[in-house]
Amino acid sequence: MNGSCLEFKNPIQDAISRVRFAPQSNNLLISSWDPCLRLYDVDCSQLRLEAPSEAALLDCCFQEEYVAFSAASDGSITRYDLHSGISNNIGNHDDIATCVEYSTETRQVITAGFDKRIIAWDIFGAKPLVYLRNLDAEVESMSLSGYELIMAVGSSVDIYDLRNSDKCVQSNKFCMDVPIRCVSSIPYLKGYAVGSVDGRVKLEISYPSSSNNMGYMFRCHPRSRDGRNHLVPVNAVAFNPFISGAFVTGDNVGYVTAWDAKSRRRLFELPGCANSIASLTYNNEGQILAVASSHTYQEATEIQRKPPTNYCA
């Protein structure tokens, strides 16, 4: 598998928080702690937009091809017109905003943060926002597929139906109260995968035409050191949108591994990166994988100085 690194005239100076491909093109959205939102055209190897922010950006997402949103460390949720570069604040959390998703089904921006709230921002209707839930813990990661909103809350996976968000549809405890680092929906099936801080990955898959649902857990990314295997946190999981059961995981020491969910086998491992894997995303055709190598915000209190962050495709 061939890979290349994107070149920036003004290199990203701090941790990358999220990379996401556009819905219909190979434009790549990059949020970071430096703080700035960037739009990069992978096909042309050109930076299309660089939009500075007043606070570190912890997440980003597309609404459509040239409209995006970000969640920031000051709690702000911002909308961007990627053609003009104009941005406007649509609202604020009371604490750090960690996650942002856009629902095409409900036409709402769904956000979560350290204020232990899930908020749906109605950017088209008369009501500016609807409080979905007050939680008992902070939201570390969030993923949306159709009407199904999946969140990592402490060591649990909580699932909500956006058509009736008054109560949690399902809550699954991970294992021995181990905190979850990331959660990712499966784009073509009902299900998800989670990665934990102790190096385990759990999959839950429901097949609509079969009662044979799949669910299992495995230990991921063991690293040999001093003759012993050491398990490291899994920071990111991404499913290939076109190859059923194919997904990748990225760990805290810079490795990306591809897996086959059906056969429960490891397919291959990419060459190691200098920093942690902060985020992973496939393009809409499943042919390009974007890998953000960076220290993560979970490591921020421990890091004094790191090499410049980078992105590879």
Side-chain angles (χ1 to χ4, degrees):
M1 179 177 288
N2 296 323
S4 60
C5 290
L6 300 187
E7 298 294 334
F8 296 93
K9 292 182 179 179
N10 299 315
I12 301 174
Q13 296 295 328
D14 208 333
I16 299 170
S17 56
R18 178 70 81 118
V19 290
R20 300 220 201 196
F21 272 113
Q24 299 176 355
S25 71
N26 291 334
N27 287 338
L28 186 72
L29 195 65
I30 308 169
S31 59
S32 60
W33 279 64
D34 52 0
C36 194
L37 185 76
R38 295 171 174 87
L39 182 70
Y40 198 96
D41 186 332
V42 174
D43 293 333
C44 300
S45 299
Q46 291 184 0
L47 183 67
R48 296 295 187 188
L49 175 73
E50 193 171 66
S53 173
E54 294 183 359
L57 303 182
L58 274 67
D59 199 2
C60 63
C61 73
F62 281 95
Q63 174 187 329
E64 55 192 49
E65 199 67 23
Y66 287 99
V67 178
F69 297 94
S70 71
S73 60
D74 62 358
S76 62
I77 307 300
T78 304
R79 181 183 185 274
Y80 300 83
D81 183 321
L82 300 177
H83 270 309
S84 65
I86 296 174
S87 62
N88 62 285
N89 177 266
I90 66 170
N92 293 272
H93 278 262
D94 293 335
D95 203 335
I96 296 173
T98 55
C99 307
V100 60
E101 297 279 355
Y102 178 76
S103 170
T104 55
E105 283 75 12
T106 65
R107 301 180 74 193
Q108 292 176 323
V109 182
I110 314 297
T111 64
F114 282 2
D115 57 0
K116 303 179 182 179
R117 290 192 298 174
I118 318 168
I119 302 178
W121 309 89
D122 185 359
I123 58 174
F124 297 102
K127 296 181 179 179
L129 60 86
V130 177
Y131 293 99
L132 291 184
R133 295 286 292 177
N134 289 321
L135 306 171
D136 296 327
E138 299 168 349
V139 177
E140 289 288 346
S141 179
M142 184 170 74
S143 187
L144 180 64
S145 179
Y147 289 105
E148 191 171 72
L149 180 66
I150 303 173
M151 297 188 304
V153 184
S155 58
S156 295
V157 177
D158 293 347
I159 302 175
Y160 292 86
D161 188 328
L162 294 181
R163 292 166 294 188
N164 182 17
S165 56
D166 292 339
K167 61 180 180 179
C168 181
V169 174
Q170 189 177 351
S171 183
N172 300 321
K173 201 74 174 177
F174 184 64
C175 182
M176 299 174 62
D177 293 329
V178 174
I180 295 170
R181 181 62 61 87
C182 60
V183 62
S184 179
S185 303
I186 302 174
Y188 42 79
L189 290 172
K190 189 179 180 66
Y192 61 88
V194 298
S196 72
V197 298
D198 72 344
R200 280 179 283 189
V201 173
K202 181 180 181 181
L203 280 87
E204 293 287 343
I205 304 174
S206 299
Y207 295 98
S209 60
S210 172
S211 60
N212 295 325
N213 296 335
M214 181 187 297
Y216 61 90
M217 185 185 300
F218 64 96
R219 293 188 178 275
C220 183
H221 298 281
R223 300 293 159 207
S224 179
R225 188 170 68 234
D226 302 328
R228 298 180 180 181
N229 284 336
H230 296 263
L231 295 172
V232 297
V234 177
N235 294 332
V237 179
F239 286 87
N240 190 302
F242 272 83
I243 303 177
S244 179
F247 68 100
V248 289
T249 56
D251 70 17
N252 215 44
V253 292
Y255 288 91
V256 176
T257 306
W259 308 86
D260 183 349
K262 293 181 178 179
S263 65
R264 307 189 183 191
R265 293 177 54 222
R266 185 171 79 163
L267 301 177
F268 58 86
E269 184 177 89
L270 297 181
C273 297
N275 290 298
S276 302
I277 304 303
S279 183
L280 298 166
T281 183
Y282 279 100
N283 70 339
N284 65 312
E285 295 179 343
Q287 297 175 338
I288 301 176
L289 173 66
V291 179
S293 172
S294 164
H295 63 272
T296 63
Y297 78 88
Q298 290 95 340
E299 302 170 273
T301 58
E302 303 172 5
I303 293 175
Q304 299 299 319
R305 185 173 183 178
K306 280 266 191 175
T309 56
N310 62 79
Y311 151 85
C312 294

